[in-house]
Amino acid sequence: MSDEILFQKIVCNDAQRLDSFLARFLGEVLPGASRSGIATAIKAGLVSVNKKAVLKPAHKLKINDEVLVKKSRISSENSRIPSKNSRISNELFEKIKIIYEDDDILVISKPSGLVVHEASSLKGESTLVDFLKQSNRQLATLGGEFRAGIVHRLDRYTSGVMVVAKSDFASAELSSQLQQKTASRIYIALCDLPLKQNCIVERAIGRCENNRLKKAVYPIGKNGAKYAKSAFCNIFLDEVQNSQNSPKKNTSNIITAKLFTGRTHQIRVHLSSINRHILGDVLYGFKGSCDIIRVFLHGYILELKHPRTGQMMSFCAPLEDDFAALIGVDTRTLNEKLTKNFVLSCFEPIDQWLCLS
């Protein structure tokens, strides 16, 4: 590999950390670089601010600061990417459904059980990124090779709609929409108890003191807690209420949830804070049969502006067969009743709902 050194100068347009700034804008300058790869490049002296070398990734930039970056092989992760052909899971990959695709974005329905991208705790697992690479699609590189194309994620056992960026331009635009909360995400879940009433939950979420795998509600700042907001609504369907055919004999209460922020485990944590739990969620607990093998949470609707055209787009991922089976109705009937317009209409009176903080 060539040791050729290239330079690129960028003017900062917002006060922020240096590593965050580079992670957003330097997909082409630092190909395959993750946040940690960018930090390594900074510490190696490959970045200067206003013509002065900066060695701290957390350096605070000011508006109009000039950032100069050297391109070097130190920023590339390509040499560390392991071969994954031996652990490709065709069974899971075959369940991935393509909802929409163009030159900039790919919208899919992710099956439950599929990990989105590689993590230290999930080595050896097949991932959505594996599938995307195997399909030979062009993918954005802003997140690094291990997170190619990924701008948001769903937990392993959460199914549903996701958007993938196929270009760095699309990745930056979609990430901005998610950060500015202009993209809308609505979920369907099966709960152990119905909501007492439709409600909004505004409670900060941070690291759980007693279990490192969990998150919990805390005052902002405690245990890294950050502001989080969700809205929850009961869905009552005659077909479900009258059904007596559920083989698991669980009380399956359908709710819909709308995210206004995107914290880890946000829906699960906020529901737990009001003593409601998603069926199959063994981490946060639930009332019902212990042999349920997945978390019954599904990303149902995703609304966003197309990164290139600015056109508002709305995508819906129909519920999977296991949802219908657990509540005792057939999948077709369930999806015919839970139309996109019906679910969106559930949130029209949201201004009148109780707000819990």
Side-chain angles (χ1 to χ4, degrees):
M1 184 182 294
S2 171
D3 287 330
E4 179 185 13
I5 301 294
L6 303 175
F7 295 84
Q8 179 158 328
K9 183 171 68 176
I10 312 131
V11 177
C12 180
N13 59 5
D14 189 18
Q16 57 187 294
R17 283 173 55 125
L18 176 59
D19 53 356
S20 298
F21 176 75
L22 295 183
R24 180 175 179 183
F25 291 103
L26 296 188
E28 295 181 359
V29 177
L30 299 177
S34 64
R35 185 75 168 261
S36 61
I38 289 172
T40 299
I42 295 171
K43 293 175 183 178
L46 300 182
V47 179
S48 62
V49 178
N50 299 329
K51 299 182 180 180
K52 294 182 180 180
V54 173
L55 303 178
K56 294 182 178 180
H59 175 82
K60 293 298 180 68
L61 293 174
K62 300 177 182 178
I63 296 176
N64 294 326
D65 275 354
E66 292 186 352
V67 181
L68 187 66
V69 182
K70 301 176 184 179
K71 181 180 178 181
S72 168
R73 64 183 180 183
I74 192 169
S75 65
S76 177
E77 289 185 337
N78 293 342
S79 61
R80 299 195 294 111
I81 299 174
S83 174
K84 299 178 181 179
N85 292 334
S86 62
R87 57 184 176 82
I88 297 299
S89 174
N90 289 326
E91 182 178 350
L92 277 176
F93 288 174
E94 288 173 359
K95 294 181 179 180
I96 297 172
K97 298 174 183 176
I98 307 300
I99 298 175
Y100 174 85
E101 184 171 12
D102 61 26
D103 290 341
D104 288 295
I105 63 173
L106 169 69
V107 181
I108 64 147
S109 180
K110 183 189 86 69
S112 173
L114 181 63
V115 177
V116 172
H117 58 72
E118 188 170 290
S120 58
S121 60
L122 295 169
K123 288 185 177 179
E125 297 282 350
S126 297
T127 69
L128 174 60
V129 173
D130 291 337
F131 165 79
L132 295 170
K133 291 180 177 179
Q134 182 177 284
S135 68
N136 294 319
R137 287 179 168 84
Q138 177 180 333
L139 299 169
T141 61
L142 286 180
E145 288 295 328
F146 290 136
R147 301 188 184 189
I150 303 302
V151 293
H152 70 120
R153 58 182 290 275
L154 295 176
D155 293 335
R156 177 176 185 168
Y157 292 106
T158 299
S159 54
V161 63
M162 287 186 63
V163 62
V164 174
K166 296 177 66 178
S167 66
D168 287 346
F169 172 81
S171 180
E173 290 295 318
L174 291 171
S175 295
S176 177
Q177 289 185 47
L178 291 166
Q179 291 172 2
Q180 296 175 13
K181 306 174 182 61
T182 55
S184 176
R185 289 167 288 172
I186 295 177
Y187 293 73
I188 300 290
L190 298 184
C191 282
D192 51 7
L193 295 169
L195 303 168
K196 291 183 178 179
Q197 59 183 305
N198 299 338
C199 63
I200 298 168
V201 178
E202 282 188 283
R203 293 172 175 170
I205 294 175
R207 300 181 301 274
C208 180
E209 294 176 340
N210 303 317
N211 186 336
R212 65 181 181 84
L213 299 178
K214 296 175 65 175
K215 303 294 181 180
V217 167
Y218 293 108
I220 289 179
K222 182 177 180 180
N223 294 332
K226 295 181 180 180
Y227 172 79
K229 179 181 178 181
S230 312
F232 300 102
C233 178
N234 284 312
I235 292 181
F236 297 109
L237 300 177
D238 291 340
E239 289 77 7
V240 175
Q241 300 305 312
N242 296 331
S243 174
Q244 301 295 324
N245 300 320
S246 174
K248 302 292 184 182
K249 299 189 184 302
N250 281 294
T251 303
S252 304
N253 303 281
I254 306 175
I255 70 163
T256 182
K258 183 174 183 177
L259 291 183
F260 296 89
T261 54
R263 309 302 177 203
T264 301
H265 297 178
Q266 180 172 321
I267 292 175
R268 299 157 71 184
V269 174
H270 275 173
L271 282 174
S272 181
S273 76
I274 58 173
N275 197 30
R276 298 295 181 270
H277 306 89
I278 298 172
L279 292 182
D281 192 350
V282 295
L283 182 59
Y284 290 91
F286 68 99
K287 299 178 179 68
S289 174
C290 294
D291 59 354
I292 299 176
I293 60 173
R294 65 159 291 189
V295 178
F296 277 85
L297 179 63
H298 181 83
Y300 199 54
I301 298 172
L302 175 65
E303 295 187 318
L304 52 83
K305 289 184 178 180
H306 191 279
R308 195 167 297 276
T309 68
Q311 177 186 354
M312 180 59 70
M313 307 184 79
S314 181
F315 304 101
C316 180
L319 291 170
E320 298 185 341
D321 293 341
D322 51 5
F323 263 77
L326 189 63
I327 61 180
V329 298
D330 66 87
T331 306
R332 180 176 179 179
T333 298
L334 185 61
N335 282 309
E336 285 177 349
K337 294 295 180 179
L338 288 177
T339 64
K340 180 172 67 175
N341 288 339
F342 171 77
V343 173
L344 289 172
S345 71
C346 291
F347 294 95
E348 290 178 357
I350 192 171
D351 291 340
Q352 303 170 23
W353 294 358
L354 173 69
C355 184
L356 303 172
S357 59

